Amino acid sequence: MEVKDIFSYDWSYLLPEFIILGFATGLSLLDLFAGKRLGKQAIGLLSLVGVLLATTFVFVNMTTLDQPYSYMADMIRIDDYGNAFKLLFLGGTAFTILISLSYLNQGEVAHRGEYYYLLLSGLLGAMVMASSADLITMFVGLELLSLSSYVLVGMRKKSLHSNESAFKYVVSGSIATAVTLFGMSYVYGLTGTTNIYEISQRLAEAGMMGYQFIIYMAFAFLAVGLAFKISAAPNHMWAPDVYQGAPTPVTAFLAVVSKAAGFSLVFRLLLISFLQVPSAEGPFFFVQGSLYLGLIAAASMIIGNTMALKQTNVKRMMAYSGIAQAGYLLVPFSPPTTLFFSEVIFYLFGYLLVSFGAFAVIMVVAKEQQTEDLKGFAGLYHRSPVMAISMTIFLLSLAGIPISVGFFGKFYLFMGALAQENYWLSGVMIVTSVVSYYYYFGIIRQMYMRSGESEAPLAVPRGIWLLVLLLAIATVFFGVFPGLVTDYIQVNFNPSFDFGNMLPS
């Protein structure tokens, strides 16, 4: 292997990460020395500028990069796979900042500067996770995102519920991190390397030498640990409390950005590392590994949708909905096909649009009604038709109703499962999706069929009104023309160089 010093690399491909790091550092210093003299929204707007600038350079990398470019003995790898996830992270963080500009005016979060550069720190951790090709950098990115998230959840310092949620999040997150590290230790012990692609080859050799049981144990520990980050069973119980106690924009950030970051690790760590491992019945990942992930997916869909039925707090309901969504997103891994990457990215794209739109409406309604319960949505159509219609669109998309981006997201996952003759998991998808109609339509029933305590127009900040309207239009538009997104993904993001030709068509 050619030995390089730091001056031998083309560092321009890491400009998106450097920009986010620079803005996070610069804004922390700016807040420290000039915080009181700055306008209330100055740091938030500067954070948004940093995110947009980093997004620009991700697109530049997409046009200039013909093949993967690696740094420091392949610890960091810039490729189409990472770029796809980075666009999701950057888009989610941009929407979080836009919602936060209005939310922070309520005065519940005293330290606004810290709030924004912690968001950028979490974003940086997610971007490192997506570009990692080594266990060490993966763990560094995972912890950077996790530690930032722990603090963000507890930013409402005067709220006992927020403090309790942050404490539960830290404790359960620490346990999940320990389980993940334990699985990584097995992998390192079997292979003697931390590089994902070398691990893939050496785990296959270890499997042929009779170490299948230890490999199975490593896979199980890693899958359980990563289930926490994507809020899937059996590590899902933190989500309802944390979603309810966190500031609403942070809840949206965890629902989309943190979940997508977890799936980026599922791709890199589980799929690549264990793809070549043999077993008596066939390739391990397509037999035992896929069955294990399928059971997690089924449990997440069943638990998430059934527990959501009895929720009266809307944010807790969305938390259980998010657990179910994690289950849907695991279906393409059980087992994967050549199209599973585009299926997952499309679903996450639609989920990003819908989640931020829904949480923006929840934020506005909760502020006016001083409650996050379902009853706060009573009579919303009469007080703000645009908010009610937009929320209806978001809920229909989450439920998978046609003419919405969520319908085609579930449709692609369902057809992929049928193509693999995975009929039992397809059946679970259908049944749990039907069950979800009850609690999604419960919110719709409140908005249109129940009278509220007041008929006064809902006070909606202009920026939130415009954002919700645009997200609702995008949800319908990409539901009518899903090919615009899927074709773009297939043309611009080709992760085949990562996974080789081992995936069935």
Side-chain angles (χ1 to χ4, degrees):
M1 180 183 295
E2 180 185 357
V3 179
K4 292 184 177 182
D5 57 42
I6 61 172
F7 302 104
S8 302
Y9 293 104
D10 182 357
W11 294 101
S12 64
Y13 295 123
L14 281 179
L15 274 176
E17 286 81 357
F18 288 150
I19 289 170
I20 297 300
L21 174 61
F23 268 82
T25 305
L27 291 177
S28 65
L29 295 174
L30 184 63
D31 182 50
L32 177 64
F33 293 107
K36 294 182 179 179
R37 294 189 293 272
L38 292 174
K40 291 183 178 180
Q41 297 183 339
I43 293 182
L45 293 173
L46 288 173
S47 301
L48 184 60
V49 170
V51 171
L52 295 177
L53 190 60
T55 305
T56 301
F57 281 100
V58 172
F59 280 111
V60 171
N61 286 348
M62 289 169 52
T63 58
T64 59
L65 194 65
D66 296 326
Q67 57 185 0
Y69 190 89
S70 62
Y71 295 90
M72 299 173 290
D74 207 22
M75 294 187 75
I76 295 290
R77 172 175 288 219
I78 308 301
D79 52 22
D80 289 347
Y81 164 87
N83 288 334
F85 275 99
K86 286 175 189 177
L87 290 178
L88 290 173
F89 302 153
L90 290 162
T93 306
F95 286 138
T96 303
I97 293 172
L98 288 172
I99 298 175
S100 300
L101 291 173
S102 174
Y103 179 85
L104 295 187
N105 289 332
Q106 300 178 24
E108 293 186 359
V109 176
H111 304 282
R112 299 187 180 193
E114 294 174 7
Y115 176 91
Y116 286 113
Y117 48 77
L118 280 169
L119 274 179
L120 295 184
S121 298
L123 169 62
L124 179 61
M127 294 171 72
V128 171
M129 289 166 66
S131 291
S132 294
D134 191 277
L135 295 180
I136 297 173
T137 48
M138 278 185 180
F139 185 73
V140 170
L142 176 63
E143 284 305 286
L144 182 56
L145 172 60
S146 298
L147 293 173
S148 301
S149 300
Y150 298 155
V151 182
L152 285 168
V153 169
M155 288 296 283
R156 295 194 299 167
K157 295 183 179 181
K158 296 181 180 179
S159 169
L160 292 178
H161 201 158
S162 180
N163 295 335
E164 178 187 353
S165 299
F167 178 75
K168 289 181 178 179
Y169 195 23
V170 170
V171 173
S172 57
S174 300
I175 295 172
T177 298
V179 172
T180 304
L181 275 178
F182 194 58
M184 287 183 176
S185 70
Y186 273 124
V187 171
Y188 180 74
L190 286 167
T191 62
T193 181
T194 56
N195 183 269
I196 296 299
Y197 297 95
E198 292 181 13
I199 286 173
S200 180
Q201 298 174 358
R202 296 187 188 183
L203 273 185
E205 297 171 1
M208 290 185 287
M209 294 171 62
Y211 292 100
Q212 286 94 342
F213 179 75
I214 301 179
I215 293 174
Y216 299 167
M217 291 289 291
F219 183 87
F221 279 114
L222 289 173
V224 169
L226 293 179
F228 172 86
K229 187 52 63 179
I230 61 176
S231 66
N235 269 348
H236 64 281
M237 288 308 297
W238 62 273
D241 289 329
V242 172
Y243 276 42
Q244 182 180 357
T248 303
V250 175
T251 303
F253 180 85
L254 295 177
V256 179
V257 177
S258 183
K259 190 184 297 290
F263 274 99
S264 73
L265 281 194
V266 173
F267 273 103
R268 288 263 200 211
L269 184 53
L270 294 186
L271 179 56
I272 296 176
S273 297
F274 294 87
L275 192 61
Q276 302 183 60
V277 174
S279 70
E281 296 82 8
F284 164 76
F285 194 91
F286 293 94
V287 184
Q288 294 91 344
S290 293
L291 176 61
Y292 189 79
L293 293 179
L295 292 174
I296 293 178
S300 300
M301 288 186 281
I302 294 170
I303 293 172
N305 283 309
T306 54
M307 291 298 292
L309 294 174
K310 62 178 183 179
Q311 301 303 317
T312 57
N313 183 283
V314 179
K315 288 171 71 174
R316 290 184 71 88
M317 181 186 296
M318 292 296 291
Y320 283 110
S321 170
I323 294 168
Q325 304 298 330
Y328 298 134
L329 281 162
L330 283 173
V331 170
F333 293 88
S334 308
T337 68
T338 51
L339 295 176
F340 84 105
F341 179 79
S342 59
E343 292 171 359
V344 172
I345 294 298
F346 179 84
Y347 196 99
L348 285 171
F349 169 76
Y351 189 58
L352 182 149
L353 298 177
V354 172
S355 293
F356 279 101
F359 279 112
V361 176
I362 292 170
M363 181 187 74
V364 173
V365 173
K367 177 185 177 183
E368 189 211 39
Q369 296 293 310
Q370 295 299 305
T371 179
E372 294 171 350
D373 288 347
L374 278 173
K375 62 183 181 181
F377 284 85
L380 181 61
Y381 177 74
H382 302 288
R383 293 183 287 126
S384 179
V386 171
M387 290 291 107
I389 294 172
S390 298
M391 188 64 174
T392 303
I393 292 171
F394 300 140
L395 293 171
L396 294 179
S397 183
L398 286 169
I401 302 298
I403 317 298
S404 69
V405 68
F407 167 76
F408 280 100
K410 287 186 178 179
F411 176 76
Y412 293 144
L413 301 185
F414 178 74
M415 294 305 295
L418 288 182
Q420 290 289 60
E421 300 181 353
N422 201 346
Y423 300 122
W424 73 275
L425 203 53
S426 304
V428 173
M429 277 192 70
I430 293 176
V431 173
T432 54
S433 294
V434 172
V435 169
S436 71
Y437 295 169
Y438 180 83
Y439 61 87
Y440 289 134
F441 279 85
I443 301 177
I444 295 175
R445 183 172 62 250
Q446 289 285 338
M447 292 191 296
Y448 294 94
M449 302 179 185
R450 299 289 185 271
S451 58
E453 296 180 357
S454 171
E455 295 293 326
L458 179 67
V460 184
R462 185 176 302 174
I464 297 296
W465 188 90
L466 182 61
L467 177 65
V468 169
L469 182 61
L470 290 176
L471 290 173
I473 293 172
T475 300
V476 175
F477 178 80
F478 291 114
V480 177
F481 303 104
L484 295 176
V485 180
T486 55
D487 291 346
Y488 184 84
I489 294 171
Q490 292 173 7
V491 170
N492 293 279
F493 304 112
N494 177 23
S496 60
F497 47 74
D498 281 342
F499 306 124
N501 297 315
M502 290 172 282
L503 299 182
S505 59

